Amino acid sequence: DRASCRARLESGDSLACAWLAMGSPALVEAAAHAGPDLLVLDLQHGLFDRRDLEAAIGAVRGDVPVLVRVAENRPLAIGTALDAGAEGVIVPLVESAEEAAAAVSAARYPPHGIRSGGGVRPLADFAAYVAGCARDTLVAVMIETKAGLENAAAIAAVPGVDLVFIGTGDLVLCLGPDGDVKARCEEACAAIHAACEAAGTPCGIFTPDVDAALARRAEGYRLVVAANDIAVVNEGFRRAAAAFAPA
Ligand code: 3PY
Ligand code: MG
């Protein structure tokens, strides 16, 4: 039995994920085969529909933990991702302690939350599944807006928030476009990271490639993105085409 991501974070581990957005169960299978700490399937911006999600998690065959970045902070989005077999959720655009608490509640069965069990998924051994969820279901909330940044300390301190994950892409959009956006984004990341440290909550951050992921891990971020399918595929095609381009 491998340790859950939640247990690994709890024990102080730093995790590196592969991030999948192209909506392809076959790509998810390939990413899992490479053996990352975990996979993240993106249902906010990614191309997965609900059946793709079921197929993608099936293709992983339990070999690697899967988190789903859900489309929005709603019980249905969170519940269906977990029903499909995700070990946890990453909830985008969280802006307050109340919203963070709502995300936690949506991911937990009563009496700890409001997650609904429909008797449909998982189809086997529901009682054991529920017991496992109480221990293993991971809830990450994303800070990636100005309001989220302002409320970072309160968000990071919400009980049941296992990880705060910084969305650098949206943060740049929110802090731009004028002036030194990159510097403002760095300042914001450092402030969120510090708020997490003060609350004793692990902090992760979206990174575009391996080098950025290694650098962020060295700064103390506990979940980084080592690879994302769009970048990997684009880079592979680009390099191959360039090797045969006329001089
Ligand atoms: C962001 O960077 O805004 C994200 O949500 C991660 O893709
Ligand atoms: Mg985002």
Side-chain angles (χ1 to χ4, degrees), residues 24-131:
S24 161
L27 265 179
V28 171
E29 182 180 0
H33 187 69
D37 291 324
L38 68 141
L39 304 176
V40 177
L41 309 187
D42 181 10
L43 268 79
Q44 183 193 18
H45 294 294
L47 303 176
F48 297 95
D49 66 20
R50 187 168 177 179
R51 281 192 186 274
D52 296 332
L53 178 66
E54 297 272 345
I57 293 179
V60 176
R61 294 191 199 88
D63 293 343
V64 176
V66 174
L67 304 182
V68 170
R69 196 268 285 274
V70 296
E72 56 179 349
N73 187 6
R74 307 268 295 193
L76 185 64
I78 291 168
T80 52
L82 295 173
D83 283 0
E87 194 178 281
V89 288
I90 300 177
V91 180
L93 298 166
V94 170
E95 300 202 298
S96 66
E98 291 71 24
E99 289 181 13
V104 171
S105 179
R108 302 247 162 252
Y109 287 117
H112 308 293
I114 60 157
R115 183 177 170 194
S116 168
V120 177
R121 294 286 277 132
L123 287 165
D125 212 349
F126 187 65
Y129 173 74
V130 171

Side-chain angles (χ1 to χ4, degrees), residues 19 42 44-45 69 92 142 144 165-171 206:
W19 184 282
D42 181 10
Q44 183 193 18
H45 294 294
R69 196 268 285 274
M142 293 193 69
E144 48 184 348
F165 191 71
I166 301 176
T168 46
D170 274 305
L171 214 42
F206 187 86

Side-chain angles (χ1 to χ4, degrees), residues 139-155:
V139 179
V141 299
M142 293 193 69
I143 294 183
E144 48 184 348
T145 63
K146 277 186 182 168
L149 172 61
E150 274 161 30
N151 294 321
I155 291 168

